[in-house]
Every structure is written in structure tokens, then in C-alpha cells.
Amino acid sequence: MGARDPDEELLARVAQGDQQAVRAMVGAKLPRLLSLAARMLGDRSEAEDVAQEAFIRLWKQAPRWQPGAARFDTWLYRVALNLCTDRLRRRREVTVDRLPEQQDPAGGPDAGLDDCESAARTKAAIDALPERQRQAIVLQYYEELSNIEAAAVMEISVEALESLLARARRSLKAQLAEGDNEDGMVSR
Amino acid sequence: MNAQRFEEIVSAYGASAQRWPAAERAAAEQFAAQYPDIAQPMLGDATEIDGLLGGYRIAPADSALTGRIVASASRGAHKIVLFWRGLGLAGLAAAGALAGAIMISSTSPADMPFGSDEAVLTAFDNAPYDVAYDSDEQDLQ
């Protein structure tokens, strides 16, 4: 383990029940956890549930945290991703029992998240990515993790991460180009 | 850095050098500057995808969610405090009972600082009377 974990001190204060530290921790981590979960799940309400669950685990873990074992951020991202994976799995189990529904790229309860059609199409394209590719693009592009950090969160090699990222980008490009063609046909 | 590696980097991480692997960033930037004919088409493609990705924004957390999460920390801490407080009280009670039992069993009635049996029974009313005094039962009666 190299440099000192920047969250170590704050975490220690959280473990002691310091309310100021609790608020600082929420202020620092909630935006990232929420955006990660929202992009992984494509559903605002579920993303908020995941963020809350991740913080409950954080409060429980804080007194037991072993400095030096892993970066706190890596652990927290992993917790959030696992919570998202659980929900996606449950969702798949439910949808298998029901009639398959085609996702409406522009509609749905999260339409309010995006303020333009292009953003809605990007959201639909990201939602349609295979889960591991979506994790890779969310961690590397949106969460701005370094390649080493993103690979650590996903517990894969940097080479495997690069492969997932490249496939995700190719897939996004193809889907968005397909959308452009459909738009062109409609407008003609 | 060669063209193949440059393409791999741009295909995976996009057109912004800030997102490229730190260990290869300088070399990749140098390659792009040195071979613009090769690099620019690759960067152009990646810039298009970056732009589309950048348009998908998530609304920030509202104060209600933030408040619920901050409150959840207090609830967790409160439970922990109650648990330890409960454990502490139970431990204190057990220690008190033990200390009382030891004191009673190791002290003969003649040495007792109390003026009567009634005072002893009031102070240690949970202590089993017949166990504490069984050797002196006759005297007490």
C-alpha cells in the first residue's frame, strides 16, 4: 500500500460518532454514489435506495475499518456496485416472469433526469450495455477513476478493463448511430 | 508509444488526455503531436462519443435524501450506544451482585456493621438468605 488513504482521518472521526464528520462524509461521497447508482440502474428512486444502503454499511464498517488493507473509496464503490448488481439480478428475475418490454429511450420515470433528447438517448444506450461494460464506463468516465482504481473496484486487470471500455464505446457508437439512422428515416 | 497502443488508449479512455493512463499520458500526447495524421481521426471519433457521454447528467441529491442519510448515522450510533450502555448496566449489576455475595459470605454476622438483620436484608434483598447465613442459621433464629 502506498500513500496514506485520504479518507482515513474522516473515517476515524465518523467511527467516534462525530456529527460534523458524518455530514462531511455524506457531502463528499453521496454525489458520487448517487450518480454511480443512477447510471448503473437507470432509475433515480432505486439509486437513492442504493446510496442509503451503502451509507448504512459505511456507518457499520467505520469502527471496524483497518487502515492499510484497502483504499476506503475502493471498498465503498465496490459496496455500491454490489448493491446495484443485486438489484439488477432481482430485476432480471422479475422480468423473466413477465412479458419482455422494450425500453422507451425518452420516457420512463427518469426522463426528468435528462433535459434533452440526446441525453435521453445516451442514457438508453448506457442502460442497454452489458453490466460489466456499464460498470467500466461509469467508473472510468463518469466517476473519473484512474484505470488502476477502476480495475481495483471491479477486481479485474487493467487490460481487462481496457477491453471492457473499448467494447462499451464501440457499442455506444453503434447504438447512437442506429438512433441517428432511425431519426433520419422518421424525419424524411 | 506506437500507433497501435495509441489507438488502444483512445478507444478505451476517450479523447481527453486527462483520462489516459498516467504512466503513458506524456508519451501518448507526444505521439499525437508528432503524428497528427494518424492521431486526429482517432481522436475525432472518440471526441464524438465523449460529447454524447458528457450530456448524460444526474441531478444532485436533494436535501431530504442527504438528511435521511445523515440521520441514519445517528440511528446506527444510537443503537450501538444503547447496546453498550445495556451491556454496561448488566455488567455493573452482575459485578455488584458478585461483590455483595463475596462480602456477605466472607463476613460473619458479628463483624457486620449493621445493627440488625433487617438492615442487611434491605441492602442485599436479592441475596439468597439461607445461602448467605446458612452456617449461622441457629444464631439468627
Side-chain angles (χ1 to χ4, degrees):
Chain A
M1 196 74 194
R4 188 183 158 90
D5 192 332
D7 293 313
E8 210 175 288
E9 194 194 324
L10 186 60
L11 197 58
R13 286 171 52 211
V14 166
Q16 288 163 2
D18 180 338
Q19 279 302 295
Q20 210 177 342
V22 164
R23 280 190 291 275
M25 183 66 88
V26 174
K29 307 297 178 192
L30 177 58
R32 288 174 151 233
L33 288 182
L34 184 63
S35 63
L36 173 131
R39 289 190 177 103
M40 281 307 300
L41 299 169
D43 181 294
R44 175 70 180 205
S45 161
E46 278 201 277
E48 292 193 358
D49 289 347
V50 162
Q52 287 190 81
E53 284 177 49
F55 271 100
I56 286 168
R57 293 185 189 205
L58 190 165
W59 307 142
K60 282 185 187 161
Q61 185 65 28
R64 297 195 292 249
W65 185 256
Q66 302 268 329
R71 267 176 70 93
F72 174 68
D73 256 352
T74 304
W75 174 84
L76 189 58
Y77 274 124
R78 209 174 281 161
V79 165
L81 275 188
N82 287 341
L83 289 168
C84 290
T85 298
D86 288 346
R87 280 172 182 264
L88 290 168
R89 191 179 299 132
R90 283 204 294 271
R91 203 187 279 175
R92 276 195 297 272
E93 285 165 5
V94 170
T95 44
V96 163
D97 294 339
R98 292 182 188 164
L99 282 172
E101 283 176 28
Q102 201 65 31
Q103 277 194 315
D104 177 4
D110 303 312
L113 291 174
D114 315 315
D115 55 3
C116 69
E117 193 188 336
S118 136
R121 279 174 48 207
T122 305
K123 176 187 178 301
I126 287 174
D127 288 352
L129 286 175
E131 189 182 336
R132 292 296 270 177
Q133 290 181 27
R134 190 156 72 244
Q135 287 180 354
I137 210 90
V138 167
L139 291 172
Q140 185 270 332
Y141 184 86
Y142 290 108
E143 300 297 319
E144 298 181 333
L145 265 58
S146 73
N147 57 344
I148 294 167
E149 288 167 336
V153 171
M154 293 180 70
E155 297 179 280
I156 55 175
S157 67
V158 168
E159 291 75 19
L161 174 80
E162 283 188 7
S163 168
L164 285 169
L165 286 171
R167 279 187 279 154
R169 283 178 161 265
R170 274 200 299 276
S171 178
L172 286 171
K173 189 180 173 185
Q175 285 186 61
L176 295 167
E178 204 174 294
D180 285 343
N181 290 341
E182 281 170 15
D183 289 350
M185 284 165 71
V186 168
S187 62
R188 249 178 261 150
Chain B
M1 181 66 51
N2 57 30
Q4 189 192 336
R5 182 58 191 150
F6 183 80
E7 185 174 19
E8 284 169 0
I9 288 173
V10 174
S11 302
Y13 302 102
S16 167
Q18 281 181 323
R19 297 177 192 275
W20 295 348
E24 296 172 287
R25 192 176 300 144
E29 284 180 301
Q30 196 182 341
F31 180 90
Q34 203 171 344
Y35 304 102
D37 295 351
I38 301 172
Q40 282 312 315
M42 297 176 192
L43 290 171
D45 256 13
T47 300
E48 199 182 334
I49 299 291
D50 285 345
L52 289 164
L53 287 172
Y56 176 21
R57 298 210 168 96
I58 302 296
D62 58 24
S63 56
L65 175 64
T66 306
R68 282 199 300 277
I69 291 173
V70 169
S72 74
S74 306
R75 278 199 299 277
H78 186 58
K79 276 183 194 164
I80 290 166
V81 167
L82 283 179
F83 172 77
W84 286 111
R85 197 175 287 164
L87 209 64
L89 284 175
L92 206 64
L98 186 67
I102 290 168
M103 197 178 96
I104 290 166
S105 63
S106 64
T107 311
S108 69
D111 298 326
M112 290 283 226
F114 306 106
S116 71
D117 291 336
E118 196 182 344
V120 175
L121 291 172
T122 305
F124 299 104
D125 55 2
N126 284 333
Y129 180 86
D130 54 343
V131 171
Y133 290 97
D134 75 338
S135 61
D136 299 315
E137 199 171 359
Q138 296 301 321
D139 297 339
L140 289 168
Q141 285 169 355

